[in-house]
Amino acid sequence: MTLPYRYTSQGRRPTTVITVLGIWAALIAAYVLLEAKPLILAVIGAFTLPALYDLVRNPHSMLTLDQTHLRWSSGGQDAEIALSEIDHLRFDTRLDMSVRLSVVRPSGVKIRVPYPATPPHATFEPLARSAGLETRRYHFSLIG
């Protein structure tokens, strides 16, 4: 891939639909077949509400990288940083194997890129280096 690079994602994904429907089907089956208490099923079903909210609202996120700027937008958060104002990009691998991206300024201030706007690191890291950005990898840090 070459610059400019654009990554987009949205909240409405097939795996989310399948997961929510599967959980609801299991809850209905527990009510009908096992005569489970509705209050218990409602508490368990409440854990699907954030996923349902994402399905209904379908938030869009994006990140672009060109020769001069890094931009992202996710939810109500928009940012644009000139590449000359970036010391390095920090990729943190978490215990759940997700990779979080932070922009580190020369002053040491870290700006976290929202997770929905974070592109796959295997694709984005070489592109960032080709744009002249230094990248650093940190594996399994709990805080960072």
Side-chain angles (χ1 to χ4, degrees), residues 27-143:
L27 293 175
I28 291 169
Y31 179 73
V32 171
L33 300 174
L34 303 175
E35 299 177 3
K37 297 288 183 187
L39 180 62
I40 294 172
L41 298 177
V43 169
I44 294 170
F47 286 100
T48 66
L49 292 178
L52 182 63
Y53 179 73
D54 273 351
L55 288 173
V56 171
R57 195 169 141 254
N58 194 22
H60 290 275
S61 300
M62 70 92 183
L63 180 136
T64 59
L65 173 66
D66 58 30
Q67 290 81 4
T68 59
H69 288 85
L70 176 66
R71 299 172 186 87
W72 67 82
S73 171
S74 180
Q77 187 178 18
D78 297 319
E80 179 176 338
I81 302 174
L83 297 186
S84 61
E85 297 176 10
I86 298 174
D87 183 57
H88 66 274
L89 297 178
R90 177 183 171 122
F91 293 87
D92 291 299
T93 303
R94 300 298 177 133
L95 293 175
D96 64 354
M97 301 307 291
S98 65
V99 177
R100 307 299 167 117
L101 174 61
S102 299
V103 175
V104 182
R105 309 285 292 258
S107 63
V109 174
K110 284 192 290 187
I111 302 168
R112 178 83 64 192
V113 176
Y115 186 69
T118 303
H121 68 92
T123 304
F124 186 65
E125 198 170 352
L127 284 170
R129 277 193 237 112
S130 72
L133 293 171
E134 178 186 349
T135 62
R136 297 183 188 170
R137 299 279 310 198
Y138 295 90
H139 297 286
F140 307 114
S141 63
L142 297 176
I143 300 173

